[in-house]
């Protein structure tokens, strides 16, 4: 997942959700898919946190400060 983009991870999360919503998924596979989804969610959260820390804001003097 290290070279994965946030957009790719969101796409995979959508696929995981679709798979979990399927009525035909065996219980053991549901647990495996759920675990995969949780890992993707953690990756997304970490990626979003990293981006938020890099966001810049304009200070009173017109300069930029990291958010």
């Amino acid at each position: 997942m290290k070279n994965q983009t946030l957009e790719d991870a969101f796409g995979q999360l959508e696929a995981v959700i679709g798979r979990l919503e399927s009525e035909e998924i065996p219980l053991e596979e549901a647990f495996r898919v759920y675990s995969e989804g949780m890992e993707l969610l953690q990756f997304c959260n970490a990626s979003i946190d990293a981006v938020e820390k890099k966001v810049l804001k304009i200070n009173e003097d017109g300069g930029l400060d990291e958010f």
Side-chain angles (χ1 to χ4, degrees), residues 7-46:
E7 291 80 10
D8 291 340
F10 279 135
Q12 290 178 348
L13 271 173
E14 286 182 33
V16 164
I17 291 168
R19 186 74 177 121
L20 288 173
E21 289 176 339
S22 170
E23 295 179 11
E24 299 175 8
I25 189 170
L27 185 59
E28 287 182 12
E29 186 176 348
F31 283 127
R32 183 187 60 75
V33 171
Y34 176 81
S35 293
E36 179 184 330
M38 292 306 294
E39 288 179 20
L40 285 165
L41 189 57
Q42 289 173 347
F43 170 80
C44 290
N45 285 334

